[in-house]
Amino acid sequence: MERLQKVIAQSGYCSRRKAEEYIIQGKVKVNGKVTDILGTKVHSNDTIEINGTVLEKEEHVYYVMNKPKGCVCTSRDELGRKTVLDYMPSEKRIYPVGRLDFDTSGVLFLTNDGDFANKMIHPRYHLPKTYIVNLQGILKDEDIKQLRRGLKGAHEKYLPAKVYLFDTDEGRDRCRFELTITEGKNHQVKNMMELLGYKVRRLHRKKVGFVEVEDLKPGQYRRLKPYEIKKLMAMSMQGETK
Ligand code: URA
């Protein structure tokens, strides 16, 4: 027996959080009866219906892609731009886990498991994400200290980050550094740099948790291995703020 919200999230219908909302709103039926109590346990052969749609029991799939720049992380784009799903097999309903910007490349997971997706991206799980930042300007010692202490803007706060500056080009007034954050808020890296008065020239996500894509060309992907899925889930559970 599993909790209803977990089963819904695992089916890929929506995130666990969204499933909880649907349950509380009385939009979920189990074997034909409205079930609006969070934590209700269901059996694998129970029939679950949300907003009138019967949940199909889908086998979960997990991929990691080296996202190329020049495509969006949505299933469809209003502007007709290429999406990451254009690089994938189309027989399964999968979606990108979180968003990398159009011009950002690197590690991107894709799955149909809503619970896995939530654990990889929700800031409360603090799964580390490492970026290679190519910056216009050269980070000053004081900026690095601020990044390590955590940043505060008018509307946002960012937790302490790890910074490793490995390349400076005084002539062209540029630098490159590794930045590891543990949240993953919208446009977080660019916003953090803007708070410090810099512009990001190029952004590549090198690592999520411990998973890298050095062996994949831009646009290539592979299945995550069972031990990788397990380890990523364990890392996110360890980092969870209760
Ligand atoms: N931070 C950003 O600003 N953009 C990304 O694509 C990822 C993290």
Side-chain angles (χ1 to χ4, degrees), residues 99-105 131 181 184-192 200 203 205:
R99 301 260 187 270
L100 288 179
D101 295 335
F102 183 76
D103 54 355
T104 302
S105 56
Y131 292 85
I181 56 175
K185 295 176 175 168
N186 251 351
H187 309 297
Q188 179 163 344
V189 177
K190 290 178 187 166
N191 289 344
M192 288 168 86
V200 172
L203 192 58
R205 185 151 71 184

Short mmCIF file of all heavy atoms in Angstrom, two decimals, residues 99-105 131 181 184-192 200 203 205, ligand 1:
data_model
loop_
_atom_site.label_atom_id
_atom_site.label_comp_id
_atom_site.label_asym_id
_atom_site.label_seq_id
_atom_site.Cartn_x
_atom_site.Cartn_y
_atom_site.Cartn_z
N ARG A 99 14.04 23.50 -15.39
CA ARG A 99 14.30 24.27 -16.61
C ARG A 99 15.75 24.73 -16.69
O ARG A 99 16.29 25.24 -15.72
CB ARG A 99 13.46 25.56 -16.60
CG ARG A 99 11.98 25.35 -16.51
CD ARG A 99 11.35 25.48 -17.89
NE ARG A 99 9.90 25.43 -17.78
CZ ARG A 99 9.20 24.30 -17.84
NH1 ARG A 99 9.80 23.14 -17.97
NH2 ARG A 99 7.89 24.33 -17.76
N LEU A 100 16.34 24.54 -17.87
CA LEU A 100 17.57 25.26 -18.18
C LEU A 100 17.17 26.28 -19.24
O LEU A 100 16.34 25.98 -20.10
CB LEU A 100 18.64 24.31 -18.72
CG LEU A 100 19.29 23.34 -17.73
CD1 LEU A 100 20.31 22.44 -18.44
CD2 LEU A 100 19.96 24.08 -16.58
N ASP A 101 17.78 27.45 -19.21
CA ASP A 101 17.43 28.49 -20.17
C ASP A 101 17.74 28.06 -21.60
O ASP A 101 18.57 27.16 -21.81
CB ASP A 101 18.19 29.79 -19.86
CG ASP A 101 17.78 30.38 -18.52
OD1 ASP A 101 16.65 30.12 -18.08
OD2 ASP A 101 18.61 31.11 -17.94
N PHE A 102 17.16 28.76 -22.56
CA PHE A 102 17.38 28.51 -24.00
C PHE A 102 18.87 28.44 -24.32
O PHE A 102 19.31 27.57 -25.06
CB PHE A 102 16.72 29.68 -24.76
CG PHE A 102 16.77 29.57 -26.25
CD1 PHE A 102 15.93 28.69 -26.92
CD2 PHE A 102 17.64 30.36 -26.98
CE1 PHE A 102 15.97 28.59 -28.31
CE2 PHE A 102 17.69 30.27 -28.36
CZ PHE A 102 16.86 29.38 -29.03
N ASP A 103 19.64 29.34 -23.72
CA ASP A 103 21.07 29.42 -24.06
C ASP A 103 21.97 28.68 -23.06
O ASP A 103 23.18 28.83 -23.09
CB ASP A 103 21.50 30.90 -24.17
CG ASP A 103 21.16 31.70 -22.92
OD1 ASP A 103 20.49 31.14 -22.01
OD2 ASP A 103 21.56 32.86 -22.84
N THR A 104 21.39 27.91 -22.15
CA THR A 104 22.19 27.12 -21.19
C THR A 104 22.31 25.69 -21.69
O THR A 104 21.35 25.13 -22.22
CB THR A 104 21.51 27.13 -19.79
OG1 THR A 104 21.38 28.47 -19.34
CG2 THR A 104 22.31 26.35 -18.77
N SER A 105 23.48 25.10 -21.50
CA SER A 105 23.68 23.70 -21.89
C SER A 105 23.95 22.85 -20.64
O SER A 105 24.11 23.39 -19.55
CB SER A 105 24.86 23.61 -22.87
OG SER A 105 26.01 24.18 -22.27
N TYR A 131 27.56 24.56 -11.90
CA TYR A 131 27.57 25.25 -13.20
C TYR A 131 28.97 25.75 -13.52
O TYR A 131 29.72 26.14 -12.61
CB TYR A 131 26.62 26.46 -13.16
CG TYR A 131 25.17 26.09 -13.04
CD1 TYR A 131 24.59 25.84 -11.80
CD2 TYR A 131 24.38 25.96 -14.17
CE1 TYR A 131 23.26 25.48 -11.69
CE2 TYR A 131 23.04 25.59 -14.08
CZ TYR A 131 22.49 25.36 -12.85
OH TYR A 131 21.17 24.99 -12.75
N ILE A 181 25.34 25.45 -6.45
CA ILE A 181 24.21 25.94 -5.66
C ILE A 181 23.37 24.75 -5.22
O ILE A 181 23.44 23.68 -5.83
CB ILE A 181 23.35 26.95 -6.46
CG1 ILE A 181 22.84 26.32 -7.77
CG2 ILE A 181 24.14 28.22 -6.74
CD1 ILE A 181 21.89 27.22 -8.54
N GLY A 184 18.21 25.98 -6.97
CA GLY A 184 17.65 25.75 -8.31
C GLY A 184 16.42 26.60 -8.54
O GLY A 184 15.43 26.14 -9.10
N LYS A 185 16.49 27.88 -8.07
CA LYS A 185 15.36 28.78 -8.32
C LYS A 185 15.45 29.27 -9.77
O LYS A 185 16.50 29.16 -10.40
CB LYS A 185 15.44 29.96 -7.36
CG LYS A 185 15.27 29.54 -5.91
CD LYS A 185 15.43 30.68 -4.96
CE LYS A 185 15.13 30.24 -3.54
NZ LYS A 185 15.54 31.24 -2.56
N ASN A 186 14.35 29.88 -10.24
CA ASN A 186 14.30 30.36 -11.63
C ASN A 186 15.45 31.28 -11.98
O ASN A 186 15.69 32.26 -11.27
CB ASN A 186 12.99 31.16 -11.79
CG ASN A 186 12.03 30.41 -12.63
OD1 ASN A 186 12.39 29.39 -13.22
ND2 ASN A 186 10.81 30.91 -12.71
N HIS A 187 16.14 31.00 -13.05
CA HIS A 187 17.26 31.83 -13.52
C HIS A 187 18.23 32.17 -12.39
O HIS A 187 18.76 33.29 -12.33
CB HIS A 187 16.75 33.14 -14.15
CG HIS A 187 15.70 32.93 -15.18
ND1 HIS A 187 15.94 32.24 -16.34
CD2 HIS A 187 14.39 33.30 -15.22
CE1 HIS A 187 14.81 32.20 -17.05
NE2 HIS A 187 13.87 32.82 -16.39
N GLN A 188 18.43 31.22 -11.50
CA GLN A 188 19.16 31.55 -10.27
C GLN A 188 20.56 32.08 -10.52
O GLN A 188 20.95 33.09 -9.92
CB GLN A 188 19.23 30.31 -9.34
CG GLN A 188 19.99 30.62 -8.07
CD GLN A 188 19.76 29.64 -6.97
OE1 GLN A 188 18.81 28.86 -7.01
NE2 GLN A 188 20.59 29.66 -5.96
N VAL A 189 21.31 31.41 -11.38
CA VAL A 189 22.72 31.82 -11.55
C VAL A 189 22.78 33.23 -12.15
O VAL A 189 23.51 34.10 -11.66
CB VAL A 189 23.48 30.81 -12.42
CG1 VAL A 189 24.90 31.27 -12.66
CG2 VAL A 189 23.48 29.43 -11.76
N LYS A 190 22.00 33.46 -13.20
CA LYS A 190 22.01 34.78 -13.85
C LYS A 190 21.55 35.86 -12.86
O LYS A 190 22.11 36.95 -12.81
CB LYS A 190 21.14 34.77 -15.10
CG LYS A 190 21.74 33.93 -16.22
CD LYS A 190 20.86 33.88 -17.44
CE LYS A 190 21.43 32.90 -18.45
NZ LYS A 190 20.50 32.55 -19.51
N ASN A 191 20.54 35.53 -12.08
CA ASN A 191 20.06 36.52 -11.10
C ASN A 191 21.10 36.80 -10.02
O ASN A 191 21.28 37.95 -9.59
CB ASN A 191 18.76 36.05 -10.44
CG ASN A 191 17.60 36.10 -11.42
OD1 ASN A 191 17.69 36.75 -12.46
ND2 ASN A 191 16.51 35.42 -11.10
N MET A 192 21.81 35.76 -9.59
CA MET A 192 22.85 35.97 -8.57
C MET A 192 23.95 36.88 -9.12
O MET A 192 24.44 37.78 -8.44
CB MET A 192 23.46 34.63 -8.13
CG MET A 192 22.53 33.78 -7.28
SD MET A 192 23.14 32.09 -7.08
CE MET A 192 24.22 32.27 -5.69
N VAL A 200 26.18 37.20 -17.30
CA VAL A 200 26.66 35.86 -17.67
C VAL A 200 26.76 35.79 -19.18
O VAL A 200 25.81 36.10 -19.90
CB VAL A 200 25.69 34.77 -17.15
CG1 VAL A 200 26.07 33.40 -17.68
CG2 VAL A 200 25.66 34.77 -15.62
N LEU A 203 26.54 29.72 -19.96
CA LEU A 203 26.28 28.92 -18.76
C LEU A 203 26.14 27.44 -19.15
O LEU A 203 25.40 27.11 -20.08
CB LEU A 203 24.99 29.42 -18.12
CG LEU A 203 24.65 28.94 -16.71
CD1 LEU A 203 25.77 29.30 -15.74
CD2 LEU A 203 23.35 29.58 -16.24
N ARG A 205 25.60 23.57 -17.27
CA ARG A 205 25.43 22.81 -16.02
C ARG A 205 26.27 21.56 -16.12
O ARG A 205 26.03 20.68 -16.94
CB ARG A 205 23.97 22.46 -15.78
CG ARG A 205 23.79 21.79 -14.42
CD ARG A 205 22.44 22.03 -13.82
NE ARG A 205 21.39 21.31 -14.52
CZ ARG A 205 20.11 21.42 -14.23
NH1 ARG A 205 19.72 22.25 -13.28
NH2 ARG A 205 19.21 20.74 -14.89
N1 URA B 1 20.48 29.51 -13.66
C1 URA B 1 20.19 30.32 -14.72
O1 URA B 1 20.23 31.53 -14.60
N2 URA B 1 19.88 29.73 -15.89
C2 URA B 1 19.84 28.40 -16.09
O2 URA B 1 19.56 27.92 -17.18
C3 URA B 1 20.15 27.58 -14.98
C4 URA B 1 20.46 28.17 -13.77
#
